Tab-separated table of all heavy atoms in Angstrom:
chain	number	residue	atom	x	y	z
A	1	LEU	N	113.282	144.217	121.994
A	1	LEU	CA	114.127	143.858	123.028
A	1	LEU	C	113.772	144.554	124.351
A	1	LEU	O	113.494	145.737	124.278
A	1	LEU	CB	115.595	144.128	122.639
A	1	LEU	CG	116.112	143.312	121.509
A	1	LEU	CD1	117.472	143.875	121.136
A	1	LEU	CD2	116.184	141.975	121.774
A	2	ILE	N	113.783	143.822	125.414
A	2	ILE	CA	113.571	144.444	126.735
A	2	ILE	C	114.710	144.067	127.536
A	2	ILE	O	115.034	142.879	127.894
A	2	ILE	CB	112.286	143.875	127.344
A	2	ILE	CG1	111.056	144.144	126.536
A	2	ILE	CG2	112.046	144.418	128.754
A	2	ILE	CD1	109.788	143.441	126.924
A	3	TYR	N	115.445	145.113	128.064
A	3	TYR	CA	116.616	144.944	128.806
A	3	TYR	C	116.224	145.313	130.304
A	3	TYR	O	115.724	146.426	130.649
A	3	TYR	CB	117.788	145.866	128.371
A	3	TYR	CG	119.034	145.669	129.196
A	3	TYR	CD1	119.792	144.501	129.091
A	3	TYR	CD2	119.386	146.628	130.173
A	3	TYR	CE1	120.936	144.298	129.939
A	3	TYR	CE2	120.478	146.447	130.996
A	3	TYR	CZ	121.333	145.227	130.834
A	3	TYR	OH	122.379	145.143	131.590
A	4	VAL	N	116.413	144.233	131.218
A	4	VAL	CA	116.083	144.521	132.713
A	4	VAL	C	117.326	145.193	133.409
A	4	VAL	O	118.358	144.610	133.432
A	4	VAL	CB	115.721	143.193	133.339
A	4	VAL	CG1	115.312	143.351	134.686
A	4	VAL	CG2	114.593	142.503	132.449
A	5	LEU	N	117.028	146.330	133.887
A	5	LEU	CA	118.035	147.067	134.674
A	5	LEU	C	118.125	146.635	136.063
A	5	LEU	O	119.119	146.629	136.749
A	5	LEU	CB	117.826	148.605	134.557
A	5	LEU	CG	117.894	149.188	133.156
A	5	LEU	CD1	117.313	150.636	133.164
A	5	LEU	CD2	119.288	149.226	132.581
A	6	ASP	N	116.860	146.485	136.638
A	6	ASP	CA	116.824	146.170	138.060
A	6	ASP	C	115.601	145.404	138.369
A	6	ASP	O	114.573	145.521	137.738
A	6	ASP	CB	116.756	147.470	138.915
A	6	ASP	CG	116.984	147.305	140.420
A	6	ASP	OD1	117.663	146.413	140.746
A	6	ASP	OD2	116.328	148.110	141.174
A	7	GLY	N	115.680	144.438	139.389
A	7	GLY	CA	114.490	143.617	139.656
A	7	GLY	C	114.502	142.410	138.739
A	7	GLY	O	115.470	142.107	137.994
A	8	THR	N	113.427	141.621	138.726
A	8	THR	CA	113.285	140.413	137.920
A	8	THR	C	111.939	140.582	137.235
A	8	THR	O	110.864	140.750	137.900
A	8	THR	CB	113.310	139.130	138.805
A	8	THR	OG1	114.533	139.086	139.478
A	8	THR	CG2	113.076	137.879	138.039
A	9	LEU	N	111.972	140.304	135.969
A	9	LEU	CA	110.680	140.480	135.143
A	9	LEU	C	110.285	139.009	134.699
A	9	LEU	O	111.189	138.165	134.373
A	9	LEU	CB	111.029	141.307	133.891
A	9	LEU	CG	109.882	141.846	133.005
A	9	LEU	CD1	109.035	142.716	133.947
A	9	LEU	CD2	110.548	142.739	131.934
A	10	ARG	N	109.044	138.636	134.700
A	10	ARG	CA	108.640	137.393	134.360
A	10	ARG	C	107.606	137.461	133.160
A	10	ARG	O	106.796	138.289	133.048
A	10	ARG	CB	107.766	136.673	135.517
A	10	ARG	CG	108.690	136.390	136.731
A	10	ARG	CD	107.843	135.564	137.698
A	10	ARG	NE	108.590	134.487	138.376
A	10	ARG	CZ	109.406	133.487	137.749
A	10	ARG	NH1	109.434	133.463	136.538
A	10	ARG	NH2	109.894	132.630	138.485
A	11	ASN	N	107.812	136.428	132.337
A	11	ASN	CA	106.903	136.298	131.154
A	11	ASN	C	106.530	134.711	131.176
A	11	ASN	O	107.276	133.992	130.756
A	11	ASN	CB	107.616	136.626	129.859
A	11	ASN	CG	106.605	136.524	128.662
A	11	ASN	OD1	105.421	136.179	128.882
A	11	ASN	ND2	107.076	136.777	127.547
A	12	GLY	N	105.406	134.390	131.839
A	12	GLY	CA	105.111	133.026	131.976
A	12	GLY	C	106.061	132.373	132.924
A	12	GLY	O	106.361	132.859	134.047
A	13	ARG	N	106.715	131.311	132.537
A	13	ARG	CA	107.631	130.553	133.357
A	13	ARG	C	109.081	131.104	133.266
A	13	ARG	O	109.997	130.670	133.905
A	13	ARG	CB	107.586	129.100	133.080
A	13	ARG	CG	106.335	128.407	133.408
A	13	ARG	CD	106.444	126.970	133.017
A	13	ARG	NE	106.715	126.811	131.569
A	13	ARG	CZ	106.492	125.751	130.915
A	13	ARG	NH1	106.068	124.649	131.472
A	13	ARG	NH2	106.670	125.721	129.628
A	14	ILE	N	109.244	132.125	132.354
A	14	ILE	CA	110.591	132.638	132.140
A	14	ILE	C	110.807	133.735	132.999
A	14	ILE	O	110.114	134.703	133.085
A	14	ILE	CB	110.737	133.062	130.583
A	14	ILE	CG1	110.530	131.849	129.679
A	14	ILE	CG2	112.072	133.747	130.414
A	14	ILE	CD1	110.359	132.266	128.222
A	15	ALA	N	111.958	133.697	133.757
A	15	ALA	CA	112.368	134.854	134.570
A	15	ALA	C	113.556	135.501	134.028
A	15	ALA	O	114.528	134.844	133.595
A	15	ALA	CB	112.625	134.328	136.011
A	16	ALA	N	113.532	136.866	133.911
A	16	ALA	CA	114.610	137.581	133.460
A	16	ALA	C	115.137	138.563	134.577
A	16	ALA	O	114.569	139.633	134.842
A	16	ALA	CB	114.203	138.438	132.310
A	17	PRO	N	116.201	138.157	135.325
A	17	PRO	CA	116.766	139.059	136.362
A	17	PRO	C	117.517	140.179	135.809
A	17	PRO	O	117.776	140.240	134.561
A	17	PRO	CB	117.755	138.106	137.100
A	17	PRO	CG	118.134	137.067	136.122
A	17	PRO	CD	117.053	136.850	135.160
A	18	ALA	N	117.922	141.108	136.635
A	18	ALA	CA	118.665	142.282	136.182
A	18	ALA	C	119.894	141.862	135.346
A	18	ALA	O	120.574	140.934	135.636
A	18	ALA	CB	119.172	143.113	137.381
A	19	GLY	N	120.149	142.624	134.180
A	19	GLY	CA	121.175	142.233	133.339
A	19	GLY	C	120.746	141.275	132.186
A	19	GLY	O	121.599	141.096	131.305
A	20	SER	N	119.493	140.899	132.178
A	20	SER	CA	118.980	139.975	131.185
A	20	SER	C	118.309	140.754	130.074
A	20	SER	O	117.830	141.877	130.263
A	20	SER	CB	117.998	138.986	131.752
A	20	SER	OG	118.614	138.199	132.645
A	21	THR	N	118.226	140.225	128.895
A	21	THR	CA	117.484	140.798	127.753
A	21	THR	C	116.394	139.820	127.278
A	21	THR	O	116.696	138.529	127.207
A	21	THR	CB	118.415	141.071	126.627
A	21	THR	OG1	119.352	141.964	127.031
A	21	THR	CG2	117.674	141.686	125.426
A	22	MET	N	115.190	140.229	127.143
A	22	MET	CA	114.179	139.362	126.577
A	22	MET	C	113.806	139.819	125.155
A	22	MET	O	113.829	141.074	124.894
A	22	MET	CB	112.875	139.460	127.468
A	22	MET	CG	113.017	139.098	128.818
A	22	MET	SD	111.523	139.404	129.873
A	22	MET	CE	110.616	137.963	129.351
A	23	PHE	N	113.430	138.901	124.266
A	23	PHE	CA	113.097	139.227	122.978
A	23	PHE	C	111.594	138.808	122.791
A	23	PHE	O	111.126	137.738	123.107
A	23	PHE	CB	113.921	138.398	121.935
A	23	PHE	CG	113.395	138.434	120.513
A	23	PHE	CD1	113.613	139.674	119.823
A	23	PHE	CD2	112.730	137.495	119.980
A	23	PHE	CE1	113.092	139.687	118.523
A	23	PHE	CE2	112.158	137.532	118.637
A	23	PHE	CZ	112.329	138.681	117.922
A	24	VAL	N	110.790	139.825	122.268
A	24	VAL	CA	109.369	139.660	121.959
A	24	VAL	C	109.250	139.904	120.490
A	24	VAL	O	109.449	141.073	120.133
A	24	VAL	CB	108.489	140.437	122.874
A	24	VAL	CG1	107.024	140.156	122.512
A	24	VAL	CG2	108.725	140.118	124.269
A	25	PRO	N	108.838	139.036	119.624
A	25	PRO	CA	108.617	139.380	118.175
A	25	PRO	C	107.604	140.419	118.049
A	25	PRO	O	106.651	140.572	118.667
A	25	PRO	CB	108.173	138.001	117.593
A	25	PRO	CG	108.602	136.930	118.433
A	25	PRO	CD	108.532	137.626	119.860
A	26	GLY	N	107.833	141.336	117.020
A	26	GLY	CA	106.855	142.357	116.663
A	26	GLY	C	105.497	141.814	116.373
A	26	GLY	O	105.305	140.777	115.778
A	27	GLY	N	104.458	142.557	116.882
A	27	GLY	CA	103.050	142.046	116.714
A	27	GLY	C	102.631	140.925	117.645
A	27	GLY	O	101.449	140.618	117.605
A	28	MET	N	103.427	140.533	118.437
A	28	MET	CA	103.145	139.398	119.376
A	28	MET	C	102.524	139.977	120.702
A	28	MET	O	103.149	140.860	121.324
A	28	MET	CB	104.228	138.486	119.750
A	28	MET	CG	103.935	137.419	120.585
A	28	MET	SD	105.451	136.414	120.856
A	28	MET	CE	104.676	134.779	121.328
A	29	ARG	N	101.363	139.509	121.094
A	29	ARG	CA	100.799	139.919	122.412
A	29	ARG	C	101.570	139.213	123.645
A	29	ARG	O	101.933	137.988	123.423
A	29	ARG	CB	99.330	139.581	122.486
A	29	ARG	CG	98.469	140.423	121.579
A	29	ARG	CD	97.115	140.033	121.785
A	29	ARG	NE	96.741	140.753	123.004
A	29	ARG	CZ	95.626	141.254	123.398
A	29	ARG	NH1	94.636	141.311	122.497
A	29	ARG	NH2	95.332	141.686	124.610
A	30	TYR	N	101.890	139.963	124.640
A	30	TYR	CA	102.601	139.291	125.785
A	30	TYR	C	102.222	140.036	127.002
A	30	TYR	O	101.631	141.108	126.995
A	30	TYR	CB	104.144	139.429	125.495
A	30	TYR	CG	104.670	140.797	125.421
A	30	TYR	CD1	105.243	141.484	126.513
A	30	TYR	CD2	104.734	141.490	124.267
A	30	TYR	CE1	105.708	142.734	126.528
A	30	TYR	CE2	105.129	142.777	124.175
A	30	TYR	CZ	105.691	143.454	125.331
A	30	TYR	OH	106.165	144.606	125.205
A	31	SER	N	102.500	139.420	128.155
A	31	SER	CA	102.221	139.901	129.457
A	31	SER	C	103.359	139.735	130.369
A	31	SER	O	103.994	138.676	130.379
A	31	SER	CB	101.032	139.133	130.034
A	31	SER	OG	100.757	139.591	131.350
A	32	LEU	N	103.838	140.838	130.991
A	32	LEU	CA	105.011	140.748	131.881
A	32	LEU	C	104.561	141.005	133.299
A	32	LEU	O	103.557	141.748	133.532
A	32	LEU	CB	105.979	141.821	131.419
A	32	LEU	CG	106.491	141.800	130.068
A	32	LEU	CD1	107.340	142.973	129.714
A	32	LEU	CD2	107.322	140.501	129.809
A	33	ARG	N	105.088	140.342	134.231
A	33	ARG	CA	104.750	140.488	135.601
A	33	ARG	C	106.083	140.519	136.469
A	33	ARG	O	107.103	140.162	136.071
A	33	ARG	CB	103.979	139.260	136.088
A	33	ARG	CG	102.752	138.939	135.213
A	33	ARG	CD	101.593	138.524	136.086
A	33	ARG	NE	100.465	138.130	135.273
A	33	ARG	CZ	99.554	138.971	134.865
A	33	ARG	NH1	99.617	140.195	135.169
A	33	ARG	NH2	98.529	138.496	134.130
A	34	SER	N	105.874	141.097	137.694
A	34	SER	CA	106.938	141.087	138.589
A	34	SER	C	106.413	141.178	140.091
A	34	SER	O	105.258	141.850	140.191
A	34	SER	CB	107.840	142.305	138.375
A	34	SER	OG	108.878	142.403	139.287
A	35	LYS	N	107.045	140.616	141.034
A	35	LYS	CA	106.569	140.768	142.379
A	35	LYS	C	107.200	141.992	143.089
A	35	LYS	O	107.052	142.159	144.307
A	35	LYS	CB	106.955	139.523	143.204
A	35	LYS	CG	106.130	138.295	142.674
A	35	LYS	CD	106.439	137.051	143.433
A	35	LYS	CE	105.640	135.861	142.909
A	35	LYS	NZ	105.944	134.629	143.691
A	36	GLU	N	108.137	142.754	142.447
A	36	GLU	CA	108.834	143.846	142.884
A	36	GLU	C	108.920	144.939	141.818
A	36	GLU	O	108.563	144.753	140.746
A	36	GLU	CB	110.233	143.389	143.281
A	36	GLU	CG	111.046	142.819	142.067
A	36	GLU	CD	112.349	142.059	142.366
A	36	GLU	OE1	112.887	142.316	143.361
A	36	GLU	OE2	112.646	141.233	141.547
A	37	ALA	N	109.399	146.088	142.307
A	37	ALA	CA	109.644	147.218	141.296
A	37	ALA	C	110.725	146.757	140.358
A	37	ALA	O	111.626	146.095	140.697
A	37	ALA	CB	110.045	148.453	142.004
A	38	VAL	N	110.475	147.003	139.014
A	38	VAL	CA	111.435	146.754	137.956
A	38	VAL	C	111.731	147.977	137.179
A	38	VAL	O	110.915	148.761	136.874
A	38	VAL	CB	110.789	145.654	137.043
A	38	VAL	CG1	111.623	145.356	135.825
A	38	VAL	CG2	110.451	144.352	137.737
A	39	ALA	N	113.049	148.079	136.846
A	39	ALA	CA	113.520	149.147	135.945
A	39	ALA	C	113.876	148.456	134.557
A	39	ALA	O	114.613	147.418	134.628
A	39	ALA	CB	114.668	149.863	136.523
A	40	LEU	N	113.433	148.841	133.516
A	40	LEU	CA	113.729	148.167	132.221
A	40	LEU	C	113.816	149.314	131.071
A	40	LEU	O	113.334	150.384	131.253
A	40	LEU	CB	112.715	147.158	131.842
A	40	LEU	CG	111.230	147.677	131.721
A	40	LEU	CD1	110.933	148.087	130.329
A	40	LEU	CD2	110.248	146.549	132.230
A	41	VAL	N	114.502	148.871	130.026
A	41	VAL	CA	114.539	149.662	128.793
A	41	VAL	C	113.840	148.744	127.736
A	41	VAL	O	114.217	147.650	127.500
A	41	VAL	CB	115.965	150.041	128.356
A	41	VAL	CG1	115.975	150.780	127.113
A	41	VAL	CG2	116.618	150.764	129.453
A	42	ASN	N	112.812	149.355	127.085
A	42	ASN	CA	112.141	148.583	125.997
A	42	ASN	C	112.555	149.222	124.699
A	42	ASN	O	112.171	150.279	124.314
A	42	ASN	CB	110.641	148.713	126.222
A	42	ASN	CG	109.905	147.783	125.366
A	42	ASN	OD1	110.389	147.119	124.492
A	42	ASN	ND2	108.536	147.617	125.743
A	43	PHE	N	113.314	148.433	123.865
A	43	PHE	CA	113.801	148.941	122.624
A	43	PHE	C	112.781	148.636	121.646
A	43	PHE	O	112.418	147.485	121.388
A	43	PHE	CB	115.142	148.319	122.149
A	43	PHE	CG	116.270	148.673	123.170
A	43	PHE	CD1	116.548	147.834	124.281
A	43	PHE	CD2	116.995	149.881	122.934
A	43	PHE	CE1	117.643	148.205	125.103
A	43	PHE	CE2	118.060	150.162	123.726
A	43	PHE	CZ	118.361	149.368	124.853
A	44	ARG	N	112.223	149.578	120.801
A	44	ARG	CA	111.248	149.447	119.823
A	44	ARG	C	111.626	150.013	118.445
A	44	ARG	O	112.262	151.148	118.443
A	44	ARG	CB	109.969	150.039	120.214
A	44	ARG	CG	109.327	149.562	121.452
A	44	ARG	CD	108.332	148.459	121.111
A	44	ARG	NE	107.676	147.956	122.345
A	44	ARG	CZ	106.767	147.032	122.230
A	44	ARG	NH1	106.464	146.532	121.077
A	44	ARG	NH2	106.269	146.631	123.371
A	45	ARG	N	111.364	149.384	117.384
A	45	ARG	CA	111.619	150.023	116.163
A	45	ARG	C	110.626	151.139	115.821
A	45	ARG	O	111.075	152.149	115.264
A	45	ARG	CB	111.478	148.951	115.088
A	45	ARG	CG	111.739	149.420	113.654
A	45	ARG	CD	111.677	148.331	112.579
A	45	ARG	NE	111.606	148.973	111.276
A	45	ARG	CZ	110.815	148.621	110.364
A	45	ARG	NH1	110.021	147.694	110.446
A	45	ARG	NH2	110.875	149.290	109.163
A	46	ASP	N	109.441	150.893	116.173
A	46	ASP	CA	108.363	151.860	115.947
A	46	ASP	C	107.557	152.179	117.245
A	46	ASP	O	107.631	151.326	118.120
A	46	ASP	CB	107.422	151.385	114.882
A	46	ASP	CG	108.132	151.281	113.448
A	46	ASP	OD1	108.754	152.184	113.019
A	46	ASP	OD2	107.922	150.142	112.824
A	47	ALA	N	106.776	153.157	117.154
A	47	ALA	CA	105.769	153.439	118.272
A	47	ALA	C	104.795	152.278	118.386
A	47	ALA	O	104.558	151.634	117.336
A	47	ALA	CB	105.103	154.689	118.129
A	48	SER	N	104.297	151.947	119.597
A	48	SER	CA	103.357	150.804	119.694
A	48	SER	C	102.268	151.199	120.738
A	48	SER	O	102.429	152.225	121.461
A	48	SER	CB	104.085	149.594	120.150
A	48	SER	OG	104.713	149.806	121.447
A	49	MET	N	101.207	150.457	120.697
A	49	MET	CA	100.053	150.690	121.588
A	49	MET	C	100.148	149.616	122.687
A	49	MET	O	100.689	148.479	122.542
A	49	MET	CB	98.737	150.541	120.889
A	49	MET	CG	98.636	151.461	119.659
A	49	MET	SD	98.844	153.181	120.148
A	49	MET	CE	97.192	153.558	120.761
A	50	ILE	N	99.638	150.022	123.998
A	50	ILE	CA	99.598	149.138	125.097
A	50	ILE	C	98.262	149.131	125.703
A	50	ILE	O	97.414	150.034	125.581
A	50	ILE	CB	100.631	149.610	126.173
A	50	ILE	CG1	100.790	148.598	127.238
A	50	ILE	CG2	100.238	150.998	126.670
A	50	ILE	CD1	101.918	148.827	128.125
A	51	THR	N	97.820	147.920	126.058
A	51	THR	CA	96.509	147.700	126.828
A	51	THR	C	96.800	147.182	128.149
A	51	THR	O	97.360	146.143	128.274
A	51	THR	CB	95.668	146.811	125.922
A	51	THR	OG1	95.574	147.354	124.591
A	51	THR	CG2	94.245	146.595	126.455
A	52	PHE	N	96.202	147.740	129.195
A	52	PHE	CA	96.512	147.266	130.498
A	52	PHE	C	95.386	146.269	131.032
A	52	PHE	O	95.674	145.525	131.907
A	52	PHE	CB	96.542	148.462	131.494
A	52	PHE	CG	97.724	149.320	131.336
A	52	PHE	CD1	97.657	150.448	130.615
A	52	PHE	CD2	98.975	148.855	131.677
A	52	PHE	CE1	98.751	151.215	130.363
A	52	PHE	CE2	100.105	149.612	131.620
A	52	PHE	CZ	99.990	150.808	130.916
A	53	ALA	N	94.240	146.181	130.420
A	53	ALA	CA	93.150	145.189	130.844
A	53	ALA	C	92.328	144.899	129.705
A	53	ALA	O	92.150	145.664	128.793
A	53	ALA	CB	92.309	145.853	132.011
A	54	ALA	N	91.796	143.704	129.566
A	54	ALA	CA	91.000	143.175	128.579
A	54	ALA	C	89.907	144.194	128.306
A	54	ALA	O	89.157	144.643	129.286
A	54	ALA	CB	90.473	141.829	128.781
A	55	GLY	N	89.598	144.730	127.077
A	55	GLY	CA	88.528	145.552	126.757
A	55	GLY	C	88.829	147.078	127.082
A	55	GLY	O	88.000	147.899	126.722
A	56	SER	N	89.980	147.326	127.647
A	56	SER	CA	90.373	148.763	127.812
A	56	SER	C	90.835	149.423	126.525
A	56	SER	O	91.128	148.692	125.619
A	56	SER	CB	91.396	148.916	128.918
A	56	SER	OG	92.574	148.416	128.562
A	57	THR	N	90.856	150.746	126.553
A	57	THR	CA	91.242	151.402	125.401
A	57	THR	C	92.740	151.427	125.202
A	57	THR	O	93.541	151.784	126.153
A	57	THR	CB	90.843	152.904	125.496
A	57	THR	OG1	89.295	152.902	125.529
A	57	THR	CG2	91.230	153.674	124.154
A	58	PRO	N	93.289	151.045	124.062
A	58	PRO	CA	94.815	150.997	123.929
A	58	PRO	C	95.306	152.419	123.855
A	58	PRO	O	94.690	153.325	123.489
A	58	PRO	CB	94.957	150.394	122.555
A	58	PRO	CG	93.713	149.646	122.161
A	58	PRO	CD	92.669	150.354	122.894
A	59	ARG	N	96.589	152.533	124.493
A	59	ARG	CA	97.199	153.892	124.610
A	59	ARG	C	98.625	153.758	124.004
A	59	ARG	O	99.150	152.653	124.017
A	59	ARG	CB	97.306	154.335	126.017
A	59	ARG	CG	95.956	154.558	126.698
A	59	ARG	CD	96.105	155.153	128.030
A	59	ARG	NE	96.264	154.015	129.041
A	59	ARG	CZ	96.506	154.153	130.278
A	59	ARG	NH1	96.702	155.358	130.801
A	59	ARG	NH2	96.671	153.130	131.052
A	60	LEU	N	99.090	154.803	123.576
A	60	LEU	CA	100.509	154.826	123.067
A	60	LEU	C	101.433	154.483	124.183
A	60	LEU	O	101.370	154.941	125.229
A	60	LEU	CB	100.917	156.248	122.547
A	60	LEU	CG	102.263	156.396	121.947
A	60	LEU	CD1	102.416	155.527	120.627
A	60	LEU	CD2	102.489	157.852	121.632
A	61	GLU	N	102.270	153.430	123.935
A	61	GLU	CA	103.142	152.944	125.056
A	61	GLU	C	104.304	154.007	125.263
A	61	GLU	O	104.904	154.486	124.461
A	61	GLU	CB	103.900	151.643	124.486
A	61	GLU	CG	104.659	150.985	125.568
A	61	GLU	CD	105.142	149.627	125.174
A	61	GLU	OE1	105.251	149.373	124.036
A	61	GLU	OE2	105.426	148.916	126.142
A	62	SER	N	104.313	154.311	126.624
A	62	SER	CA	105.318	155.191	127.122
A	62	SER	C	105.452	155.075	128.623
A	62	SER	O	104.625	154.371	129.197
A	62	SER	CB	104.891	156.667	126.848
A	62	SER	OG	103.815	156.966	127.628
A	63	SER	N	106.515	155.638	129.301
A	63	SER	CA	106.619	155.503	130.769
A	63	SER	C	105.478	156.129	131.418
A	63	SER	O	104.965	155.684	132.381
A	63	SER	CB	107.919	156.000	131.284
A	63	SER	OG	107.966	157.471	130.941
A	64	GLY	N	104.883	157.204	130.828
A	64	GLY	CA	103.843	158.002	131.371
A	64	GLY	C	102.542	157.111	131.403
A	64	GLY	O	101.786	157.143	132.350
A	65	ALA	N	102.361	156.397	130.351
A	65	ALA	CA	101.147	155.499	130.265
A	65	ALA	C	101.240	154.314	131.277
A	65	ALA	O	100.115	153.885	131.739
A	65	ALA	CB	101.028	154.872	128.858
A	66	ALA	N	102.436	153.995	131.720
A	66	ALA	CA	102.559	152.849	132.540
A	66	ALA	C	102.677	153.455	134.043
A	66	ALA	O	102.947	152.593	134.965
A	66	ALA	CB	103.814	152.068	132.316
A	67	GLY	N	102.558	154.682	134.146
A	67	GLY	CA	102.598	155.260	135.537
A	67	GLY	C	104.028	155.743	135.934
A	67	GLY	O	104.232	156.041	137.080
A	68	GLY	N	104.932	155.646	135.022
A	68	GLY	CA	106.336	156.051	135.372
A	68	GLY	C	106.596	157.531	135.107
A	68	GLY	O	105.554	158.265	134.835
A	69	SER	N	107.734	158.014	135.164
A	69	SER	CA	108.047	159.357	134.898
A	69	SER	C	108.921	159.534	133.742
A	69	SER	O	109.491	158.694	133.083
A	69	SER	CB	108.801	159.934	136.174
A	69	SER	OG	109.857	159.207	136.491
């Protein structure tokens, strides 16, 4: 589950404004985009890996991996 605190998050044609929750099934690859800064909470059952570009090395998903604090 991804809860959008601020801004609007997009997954393809689906837009999730602040206050929305998005569901992504476990093990499914997805890409999120935004034209503005977004604050979100990503609820996970287990730790997961994130890849920022095709062919790049996967890293443990965290706010630090995404450039946050």
